[in-house]
Amino acid sequence: MIGTDHSSGDGVERCETCAVQTPHDVSIEIRTESDKEKNAEFSREPYRVTRCRMCGETASQRMNNA
């Protein structure tokens, strides 16, 4: 898995661990989903990654489901 941070920002979102709205760091990562070297460049997908500033919990969500 290759991660490249293209943008980052701050946001307030619900943290499942804290069970309340908390400040989060938000970024976009490009991840390679294939373990095979052949055609790996065609398996990259953007993911939205959030990290709770209160507890450190990290969550990611694939941004497109093609």
Side-chain angles (χ1 to χ4, degrees):
M1 170 174 58
I2 298 172
T4 304
D5 187 4
H6 286 283
S7 66
S8 62
D10 302 329
V12 176
E13 300 185 12
R14 177 173 173 78
C15 175
E16 294 302 319
T17 302
C18 297
V20 294
Q21 297 282 99
T22 60
H24 281 69
D25 292 322
V26 181
S27 63
I28 303 298
E29 291 181 3
I30 304 299
R31 296 182 180 179
T32 302
E33 294 183 333
S34 176
D35 292 334
K36 300 176 184 176
E37 286 188 36
K38 185 177 180 181
N39 297 325
E41 68 268 19
F42 301 111
S43 70
R44 293 183 290 217
E45 296 292 337
Y47 279 76
R48 182 178 188 271
V49 181
T50 60
R51 186 185 65 80
C52 177
R53 290 187 187 171
M54 303 297 286
C55 71
E57 180 73 20
T58 301
S60 63
Q61 180 179 7
R62 188 175 185 206
M63 294 182 66
N64 60 10
N65 291 318

